[in-house]
């Protein structure tokens, strides 16, 4: 555990800050009188640059011997830029900052997940899923602490003050990175090959064969569909809870904190369970259970229904992300692990980009219709993985 602690601390601090910014920015933009379509557009832009950046940073990570430095740089730049959100006034300023921060921030998951996989003792499905689940549990603990802290802040401080505080936390993420050990590694001849700029940053273009083995492509497409639905459903959730359901800002944030709280236990549980039920089953279960969340949002008439929805989402995410990540790691060539984990992140980010865009348009007419359409997309993702993936 000593070797894992700096990496887990970095994940905890990063998700304490970053995941709270989603709600902070929704509330800040509404304070400035900006429409829900523009708020959805911000989530779309962030998703677009996550989609672009994840496979690039994954490929760079596979080709560098010093992942520690790469991780530190990609955390430092957005850590500084977060402060500028407090001074932004116009929609295009938020969108520009969101794009740059998302691009550098997209490096975190492919780098840290590949590092976690390297800590697995024997590289088996069981040990790999346990290492990944610990990283995910630390991330979810950070999400929960961030929402809890944000809820308290909203009682006494302004949204702008919250942006300053969480910017400090985002910058502090760099510190534990310097204590991570075992980063430097020898590169194989294959990893040192010089290629043109397209194949250097997107090796999947040169050799997509791993995606067609054992139905790995279905995990990517299914992950896109799941993220499309859940990102669309949650991109306006702060507005929905406060303006449509009449909840206070503080209570709205507390309800969203149920999700990461349950995720902590869900990650650990499914990290152990995957060794018995296999990664595919866990992924499918997580996807199908996620669709229940959107149904509960659509039927929601009180804060209790919303609480149950976030409870189910917490269980679902632990099953989904640990299953999908373990499936990718155990079905990827060792020298391309970070790249293919980056593609997983990229497929989810593409859903994060497109889901809010459609959700914003539909929600302008009906929130119930929006939640229903998003839920159908998520349900179909589970059936896709169930049919086409093979262990």
């Amino acid at each position: 555990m000593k070797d894992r602690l700096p990496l887990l601390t970095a994940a905890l601090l990063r998700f304490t800050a970053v995941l709270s910014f989603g709600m902070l920015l929704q509330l800040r933009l509404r304070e400035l009188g900006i429409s829900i379509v523009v708020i959805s557009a911000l989530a779309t832009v962030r998703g677009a640059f996550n989609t672009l950046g994840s496979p690039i940073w994954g490929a760079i990570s596979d080709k560098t011997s010093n992942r520690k430095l790469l991780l530190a740089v990609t955390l430092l730049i957005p850590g500084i830029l977060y402060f500028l959100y407090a001074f932004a006034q116009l929609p295009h300023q938020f969108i520009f900052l969101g794009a740059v921060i998302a691009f550098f921030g997209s490096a975190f998951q492919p780098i840290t997940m590949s590092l976690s996989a390297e800590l697995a003792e024997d590289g088996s499905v069981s040990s790999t899923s346990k290492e990944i689940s610990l990283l995910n549990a630390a991330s979810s603990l950070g999400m929960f602490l961030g929402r809890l802290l944000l809820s308290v802040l909203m009682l006494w401080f302004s949204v702008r003050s919250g942006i300053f505080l969480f910017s400090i936390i985002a910058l502090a993420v760099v510190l534990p990175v310097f204590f991570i050990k075992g980063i430097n590694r020898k590169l194989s001849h294959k990893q040192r090959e010089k290629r043109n700029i397209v194949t250097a940053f997107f090796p999947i273009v040169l050799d997509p064969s791993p995606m067609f083995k054992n139905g790995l492509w279905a995990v990517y497409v299914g992950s896109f569909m799941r993220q499309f639905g859940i990102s669309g459903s949650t991109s306006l959730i702060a507005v929905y809870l406060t303006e449509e359901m009449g909840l206070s800002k503080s209570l709205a944030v507390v309800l969203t904190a149920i999700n990461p709280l349950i995720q902590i236990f869900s990650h650990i549980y499914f990290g152990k369970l995957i060794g018995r039920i296999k990664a595919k089953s866990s992924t499918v279960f997580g996807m199908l259970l996620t669709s229940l969340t959107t149904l509960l949002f659509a039927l929601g008439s009180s804060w209790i229904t919303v609480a149950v929805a976030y409870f189910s989402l917490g269980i679902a995410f632990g099953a989904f992300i640990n299953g999908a990540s373990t499936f990718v790691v155990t079905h990827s060539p060792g020298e391309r692990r970070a790249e293919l984990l980056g593609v997983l992140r990229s497929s989810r980010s593409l859903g994060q980009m497109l889901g809010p865009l459609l959700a914003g348009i539909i929600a302008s007419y009906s929130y119930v219709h929006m939640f229903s359409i998003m839920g159908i997309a998520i349900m179909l993702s589970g059936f896709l993985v169930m049919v086409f993936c093979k262990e």
Side-chain angles (χ1 to χ4, degrees):
M1 183 58 73
K2 183 180 178 182
D3 292 338
R4 303 182 185 98
L5 191 58
L7 184 61
L8 297 180
T9 303
L12 186 149
L13 289 174
R14 182 179 186 273
F15 280 84
T16 296
V18 173
L19 269 293
S20 296
F21 263 100
M23 293 200 74
L24 275 171
L25 291 178
Q26 287 183 43
L27 296 171
R28 177 61 176 162
L29 288 166
R30 286 306 270 173
E31 281 184 350
L32 296 172
I34 295 171
S35 71
I36 60 173
V37 174
V38 174
I39 297 174
S40 296
L42 176 59
T44 298
V45 169
R46 288 158 61 193
F49 279 85
N50 270 319
T51 303
L52 175 68
S54 292
I56 291 177
W57 292 115
I60 292 173
S61 174
D62 282 332
K63 292 178 176 63
T64 183
S65 60
N66 192 343
R67 280 179 169 156
K68 178 177 176 177
L69 178 60
L70 180 65
L71 186 59
V73 170
T74 55
L75 287 170
L76 181 63
I77 293 174
I80 294 171
L81 293 178
Y82 273 120
F83 286 95
L84 299 182
Y85 274 131
F87 303 100
Q89 296 286 330
L90 302 174
H92 73 269
Q93 294 171 336
F94 284 94
I95 289 173
F96 176 77
L97 283 172
V100 178
I101 290 171
F103 179 73
F104 284 97
S106 66
F108 187 81
Q109 283 194 312
I111 295 175
T112 55
M113 279 197 171
S114 59
L115 291 172
S116 289
E118 289 173 2
L119 289 171
E121 294 176 1
D122 55 7
S124 66
V125 171
S126 179
S127 59
T128 299
S129 65
K130 286 179 182 177
E131 292 296 339
I132 290 175
S133 70
L134 284 173
L135 180 68
N136 287 331
S139 302
S140 294
L141 178 58
M143 290 169 60
F144 171 68
L145 293 175
R147 297 290 170 84
L148 206 60
L149 179 59
L150 181 58
S151 176
V152 173
L153 284 174
M154 290 299 96
L155 292 174
W156 294 291
F157 297 96
S158 67
V159 173
R160 196 162 179 260
S161 298
I163 291 175
F164 278 116
L165 176 62
F166 283 97
S167 296
I168 293 171
I169 298 173
L171 192 58
V173 181
V174 181
L175 298 178
V177 172
F178 294 107
F179 296 94
I180 297 175
K181 295 180 180 179
I183 300 291
N184 292 332
R185 61 204 176 99
K186 292 182 179 179
L187 302 179
S188 67
H189 174 71
K190 204 170 185 180
Q191 288 169 299
R192 292 180 181 274
E193 285 180 0
K194 291 184 178 180
R195 301 170 180 172
N196 62 50
I197 191 167
V198 174
T199 54
F201 288 142
F202 299 99
I204 201 72
V205 174
L206 184 67
D207 180 17
S209 59
M211 294 185 66
F212 299 101
K213 293 178 181 177
N214 304 298
L216 186 58
W217 66 269
V219 172
Y220 292 137
V221 176
S223 296
F224 158 75
M225 293 170 65
R226 179 199 175 276
Q227 199 66 37
F228 176 92
I230 201 61
S231 291
S233 299
T234 57
S235 63
L236 296 168
I237 198 65
V239 178
Y240 175 71
L241 295 179
T242 55
E243 295 185 7
E244 294 294 315
M245 295 189 66
L247 304 182
S248 67
K249 292 178 182 178
S250 181
L251 179 57
V253 174
V254 167
L255 290 173
T256 64
I258 295 172
N259 173 26
L261 175 62
I262 301 303
Q263 281 182 27
I264 299 168
F265 306 101
S266 179
H267 286 312
I268 296 172
Y269 177 72
F270 284 99
K272 294 179 179 179
L273 189 63
I274 285 169
R276 297 199 299 270
I277 68 171
K278 302 300 182 184
K280 172 185 172 180
S281 300
S282 182
T283 306
V284 171
F285 174 75
M287 288 174 165
L288 295 179
L289 186 57
T290 303
S291 64
L292 176 63
T293 300
T294 57
L295 175 63
L296 290 169
F297 281 145
L299 299 175
S301 57
S302 72
W303 67 268
I304 296 176
T305 311
V306 176
V308 174
Y310 275 115
F311 185 92
S312 70
L313 183 59
I315 296 173
F317 186 70
F320 159 70
I321 195 62
N322 288 292
S325 301
T326 301
F327 194 93
V328 171
V329 168
T330 53
H331 292 80
S332 301
E335 71 277 2
R336 298 183 65 184
R337 184 174 290 158
E339 173 207 345
L340 291 170
L341 281 168
V343 176
L344 176 64
R345 171 61 177 160
S346 184
S347 64
R348 294 178 59 217
S349 297
L350 185 60
Q352 182 186 352
M353 175 182 70
L354 299 178
L357 186 62
L358 180 61
I361 296 172
I362 300 173
S364 299
Y365 299 96
S366 169
Y367 277 100
V368 173
H369 290 164
M370 182 269 284
F371 287 131
S372 300
I373 291 172
M374 298 295 116
I376 291 171
I378 298 169
M379 190 178 298
L380 290 175
S381 72
F383 290 120
L384 183 72
V385 173
M386 185 188 301
V387 172
F388 292 102
C389 284
K390 298 177 181 179
E391 289 284 0

